[in-house]
Amino acid sequence: MNKIYGYVGKIARINLTDSTVTEVSTFNYVPKYIGGRGVCNKIFWDEVGPGVKAFDPENKLIFMTGPTTSTGIPTGGRSTMCSISPNNLPEQYCWSGIGGWFGTMVKFAGYDGFIIEGKAPEPTYIFIDDGKITFHSAKELWGMLVHQTQKKLEEILGKDVNSIVIGPAGENLVRNASITTSNDSVAAKAGFGAVFGSKNLKAISVRGTGKVQAGNVEKILKLHKTMGKPIGKTNPIQYKDSFAPRPHINFPVPGGVKEGRVACSYGCNQHCNLILLDVKAGIGGNEKGRTNVVNKCVGIYAYQMIEDSGWTPQMSFNTPQNDYAGCRFISGDGFTPDLSDPAINEGFLDRQLGDIVNYWDGDYDRGNVINDLCTQYGIDRWDVIIWYMSWLAMAKKEGVLDDIDFGLGMEIDPSSEEFMKRFLEMIVYRKGYYGNIFAEGMARAIRTLGMEKYGKTIYTGRVSQRTGNQQIIPISLESAWGHCCHWAGRGFQGSNDITCWLPIAIELMTSTRDAQTNTHHHDSFDYYLEVRNDPCHNPRVASSTIFNEHCAELKESLMSCEFQLPQIFDKDIESEMFEAATGIKMTHEEIYLAAERIKNLFRAILIRNNGRTRDMEVNEVYPILTYPDADGRTVSWEDFNHLVDMYYEQRGWDKKTGWPTRETYERLGLEEVADELEAIGKLPEK
Ligand code: SF4
């Protein structure tokens, strides 16, 4: 077999119960499953059967890099984790992407990834030191905040180590606890910090001084020039008198704002992360109570949430002249569109205003305190800002909380810095009746409190700036699988239009989490023009959904990020990245077949382990689509099911059950999966 580059060839199997380490060859899984999430899916399919719960020792947490990781390919420095998510409702197999230098160091230490299994008898941390893996007591670290833990590990192991750690939220099995790297990149969405906690695992540190050989260095240098048109700049630090990351969040800041741009991981030339210097700390901080916060994505909403962000077709759709990856526009990274583009005359840049929601007014210090608290406690900042705070604001305004006292010695008020400090402390340390309820995540908290009142009550403060009408929305803001609305045409960032939120609804339907936090739906502008009048009856909506799902699989398997992929008008970018890393030539068709294989294996896991069916997922995702989008549009049951039919058909899945057919599995080289499912009656009848 020709030499394969990019991979280091080994995966460590780390058993916490008996403190043993064995090794698995990465080539058992690649190149068939590419890397990252693809390999995680295969290991999970082989090793974790039905009936295992998120906090069981039998649940495995799989961390994988991709072939591009540590090769210097831009955006290739990221990694991914997979396991049963405690934050999902119901608990299901899920993934979480993570930046940082940790993944690169793991490869320099001689591993493409590791499988964490079992449960340590006492608080423990793992040290991967250039191929040697050891277990250490974490009794001294247990209870420490995230930054304290990082600092202590550097004191113990040296400044040349890189660690992923949990905070008190993970230790107390708070279901949306996160895992944080040394540069505050987090794996947050699925609550894997609580899986670490359930295994008595406080941290994993790594020292890697080795090298990774890439397949085609010239191609990497070429990719550095062509990929992502780097616009972010690391320095100099900018001094601004106001905080205006978005048009509608602009308020003066006493003493000014000090901000810069940083990369989140090794080899990235795009530096999209916003860092704010010398801001008010939520907890700890320096002797003056100041700290620095890395702001990504939702962090800015902690500062103000009056108006939902607007949307322009250009944010979700590309033209040959304006061919940029999804997140670039959504992140507000200022760039100048090519105005000679004829699409401009057809509404490409037409701004659609977001809904007025009036949740909380502007406060720079409060925003930084909340962002810092989430980092230090190790709790999903997304869930805290977008879901807990929004629900508190709406429920309070609708009088739903009038008969509730959280016992915090003050009035319930999400716009109060002091209230949010006490509220988060109550959750993270599971203090009292309400501390335990909210530590179970919003989806379970609403059900425990009572869905009728605390979920289905209509918020009367949402006003569409497009129709001028008040728009009904339930205070639960729930979309599906224990997650809240996001780019769903209503709720948070709900200003995109039906050509976007319909495929996003299908992507959520066949997933186990809100994928839009790291994979924003994207397609060409002419798709938008073609389908916008009757999207439920246009097969192009189904194929656009499938294209985006496959892009996401590749982004999380190669590794890359959505500042780079998908590139709508550069269909070879993924196979180029793969060849640059591994030296293996793959055509666009071959690498997308691998993506389809990875997606169908994910599907098989949900069918075997969680009994996933058409009825289950359509009934899960449809209810929120009956509430008006920002244009007042909804979708009927018949129309939505017509679109689902088209999607299943294009996927080679049975329309009645939603299960892939044997032909589909065999076409993808998944015969053994079909055999196992047939044996348990989970293959569609002929
Ligand atoms: S573009 Fe941003 S998110 Fe992507 S790898 Fe670079 S810094 Fe990270």
Side-chain angles (χ1 to χ4, degrees):
M1 181 164 92
N2 296 341
K3 176 165 169 42
I4 294 185
Y5 300 90
Y7 306 102
V8 287
K10 293 184 301 181
I11 298 169
R13 182 183 299 285
I14 303 173
N15 187 307
L16 290 166
T17 307
D18 56 17
S19 302
T20 58
V21 177
T22 51
E23 292 176 350
V24 186
S25 168
T26 312
F27 298 113
N28 294 352
Y29 308 104
V30 299
K32 183 174 180 179
Y33 296 98
I34 306 291
R37 200 157 99 199
V39 172
C40 292
N41 289 4
K42 180 59 175 138
I43 292 171
F44 192 91
W45 169 261
D46 292 345
E47 302 188 8
V48 183
V52 177
K53 306 301 284 173
F55 296 148
D56 293 348
E58 295 73 20
N59 182 21
K60 301 194 180 191
L61 190 140
I62 310 158
F63 173 91
M64 278 300 294
T65 63
T68 63
T69 309
S70 69
T71 60
I73 292 171
T75 75
R78 299 181 61 81
S79 313
T80 193
M81 287 183 193
C82 294
S83 185
I84 298 171
S85 159
N87 198 24
N88 280 20
L89 185 66
E91 294 186 353
Q92 295 174 91
Y93 176 63
C94 195
W95 80 90
S96 202
I98 189 166
W101 272 252
F102 181 80
T104 293
M105 278 278 222
V106 168
K107 273 184 103 169
F108 289 159
Y111 294 100
D112 291 308
F114 48 77
I115 307 164
I116 303 290
E117 47 189 46
K119 174 175 181 166
E122 58 159 43
T124 294
Y125 74 87
I126 295 166
F127 183 28
I128 305 172
D129 190 1
D130 270 336
K132 188 160 166 283
I133 299 178
T134 48
F135 301 82
H136 303 266
S137 168
K139 280 197 181 131
E140 189 193 352
L141 303 172
W142 207 252
M144 280 187 178
L145 300 167
V146 164
H147 288 172
Q148 278 173 320
T149 308
Q150 293 283 7
K151 201 152 170 282
K152 191 68 188 170
L153 286 166
E154 281 188 2
E155 280 168 23
I156 299 168
L157 302 169
K159 285 202 173 300
D160 58 349
V161 301
N162 207 287
S163 306
I164 51 174
V165 309
I166 60 171
E171 295 167 10
N172 297 321
L173 308 192
V174 174
R175 285 179 177 270
N176 46 19
S178 53
I179 298 170
T180 308
T181 67
S182 311
N183 66 323
D184 285 351
S185 263
V186 289
K189 200 75 203 149
F192 293 154
V195 174
F196 259 45
S198 72
K199 294 180 178 303
N200 279 332
L201 181 59
K202 175 70 176 180
I204 302 176
S205 299
V206 61
R207 175 184 293 123
T209 60
K211 295 212 174 339
V212 172
Q213 218 183 342
N216 186 328
V217 176
E218 255 133 67
K219 208 178 253 301
I220 293 178
L221 296 175
K222 184 170 146 263
L223 286 171
H224 255 275
K225 294 202 182 68
T226 56
M227 285 176 75
K229 306 179 182 68
I231 52 163
K233 42 194 176 303
T234 50
N235 289 310
I237 297 298
Q238 316 224 347
Y239 293 77
K240 296 185 176 173
D241 58 9
S242 76
F243 187 56
R246 294 195 176 289
H248 53 270
I249 298 185
N250 187 3
F251 45 86
V253 174
V257 175
K258 300 182 200 69
E259 64 174 55
R261 288 258 169 199
V262 291
C264 81
S265 54
Y266 179 89
C268 179
N269 61 349
Q270 301 182 46
H271 317 105
C272 75
N273 283 197
L274 176 69
I275 187 166
L276 298 172
L277 305 178
D278 190 29
V279 301
K280 187 173 182 181
I283 193 167
N286 63 20
E287 60 290 344
K288 297 199 199 97
R290 311 295 288 178
T291 188
N292 302 335
V293 288
V294 171
N295 237 334
K296 197 160 181 214
C297 186
V298 291
I300 59 147
Y301 293 95
Y303 302 102
Q304 185 189 54
M305 191 62 174
I306 299 289
E307 177 191 343
D308 193 29
S309 1
W311 178 79
T312 59
Q314 154 226 17
M315 290 166 85
S316 300
F317 305 118
N318 288 30
T319 65
Q321 279 120 308
N322 289 294
D323 184 19
Y324 286 88
C327 201
R328 186 157 303 291
F329 304 99
I330 288 170
S331 69
D333 257 355
F335 94 107
T336 323
D338 174 342
L339 298 178
S340 69
D341 186 338
I344 308 267
N345 311 330
E346 304 211 43
F348 185 57
L349 295 179
D350 290 1
R351 187 160 184 76
Q352 319 272 348
L353 292 176
D355 293 337
I356 297 296
V357 289
N358 289 322
Y359 291 162
W360 48 85
D361 295 333
D363 185 319
Y364 186 66
D365 281 346
R366 179 206 52 225
N368 291 320
V369 163
I370 291 167
N371 281 311
D372 185 46
L373 284 170
C374 292
T375 301
Q376 294 280 32
Y377 283 143
I379 188 169
D380 182 0
R381 183 190 306 204
W382 213 94
D383 266 10
V384 168
I385 298 167
I386 304 305
W387 208 354
Y388 286 124
M389 287 179 71
S390 305
W391 178 81
L392 286 166
M394 291 187 287
K396 180 159 188 251
K397 288 194 168 124
E398 298 305 328
V400 162
L401 300 177
D402 294 354
D403 55 356
I404 282 192
D405 175 2
F406 291 151
L408 299 176
M410 66 184 297
E411 187 204 346
I412 296 175
D413 178 8
S415 65
S416 148
E417 178 184 310
E418 185 50 35
F419 169 81
M420 282 309 297
K421 276 179 131 176
R422 297 184 194 185
F423 182 69
L424 279 173
E425 190 184 2
M426 175 186 81
I427 294 171
V428 165
Y429 294 99
R430 286 184 173 271
K431 289 186 173 174
Y433 173 69
Y434 290 107
N436 270 304
I437 283 183
F438 287 105
E440 293 299 296
M442 274 307 294
R444 289 173 176 81
I446 290 169
R447 284 163 178 74
T448 306
L449 292 168
M451 178 56 95
E452 238 8 79
K453 178 176 179 183
Y454 297 96
K456 294 193 176 159
T457 295
I458 294 299
Y459 178 55
T460 55
R462 175 195 175 199
V463 178
S464 166
Q465 296 193 82
R466 297 189 212 163
T467 64
N469 301 334
Q470 183 199 20
Q471 303 268 53
I472 59 164
I473 187 97
I475 61 173
S476 75
L477 276 187
E478 196 168 345
S479 57
W481 312 124
H483 293 277
C484 83
C485 287
H486 179 212
W487 289 111
R490 58 285 285 166
F492 179 62
Q493 290 182 330
S495 50
N496 53 351
D497 92 348
I498 195 167
T499 56
C500 241
W501 60 254
L502 255 183
I504 287 174
I506 304 278
E507 287 156 27
L508 178 61
M509 181 184 86
T510 65
S511 185
T512 55
R513 54 162 277 184
D514 160 20
Q516 300 304 309
T517 51
N518 74 350
T519 312
H520 290 85
H521 184 85
H522 225 55
D523 206 317
S524 64
F525 186 56
D526 66 280
Y527 153 88
Y528 166 74
L529 296 175
E530 179 189 323
V531 305
R532 62 184 168 175
N533 296 329
D534 186 9
C536 286
H537 297 87
N538 190 316
R540 197 162 170 190
V541 176
S543 44
S544 175
T545 308
I546 294 169
F547 166 71
N548 273 272
E549 289 175 330
H550 291 170
C551 283
E553 300 295 350
L554 287 176
K555 178 178 67 67
E556 296 273 326
S557 298
L558 280 168
M559 305 302 292
S560 181
C561 83
E562 53 143 358
F563 258 70
Q564 184 54 56
L565 299 178
Q567 289 287 319
I568 307 297
F569 293 96
D570 177 355
K571 66 176 186 45
D572 295 320
I573 182 103
E574 290 95 351
S575 41
E576 292 253 308
M577 291 172 78
F578 185 69
E579 185 189 344
T582 63
I584 301 172
K585 280 191 183 309
M586 257 198 198
T587 62
H588 165 77
E589 291 69 25
E590 286 166 329
I591 205 162
Y592 269 72
L593 188 74
E596 189 182 358
R597 177 181 304 121
I598 294 165
K599 174 69 180 179
N600 276 271
L601 185 54
F602 179 79
R603 184 85 179 159
I605 290 169
L606 302 187
I607 293 168
R608 181 194 66 187
N609 289 31
N610 303 98
R612 183 68 72 98
T613 61
R614 176 185 179 131
D615 292 348
M616 181 183 180
E617 61 187 19
V618 171
N619 288 309
E620 177 75 19
V621 82
Y622 178 71
I624 196 69
L625 305 183
T626 59
Y627 292 90
D629 73 357
D631 294 312
R633 293 178 82 166
T634 60
V635 61
S636 72
W637 176 255
E638 294 67 30
D639 283 357
F640 186 67
N641 276 281
H642 186 275
L643 176 60
V644 172
D645 284 346
M646 288 195 294
Y647 170 85
Y648 283 166
E649 203 158 349
Q650 288 186 25
R651 270 242 170 260
W653 297 359
D654 171 67
K655 282 195 273 187
K656 187 160 160 293
T657 56
W659 297 343
T661 60
R662 171 172 284 284
E663 293 69 31
T664 299
Y665 284 124
E666 292 182 351
R667 178 173 56 78
L668 299 167
L670 297 173
E671 294 77 3
E672 83 287 353
V673 172
D675 296 344
E676 184 170 339
L677 289 171
E678 188 163 43
I680 58 172
K682 298 271 184 179
L683 264 196
E685 279 138 28
K686 284 248 177 290

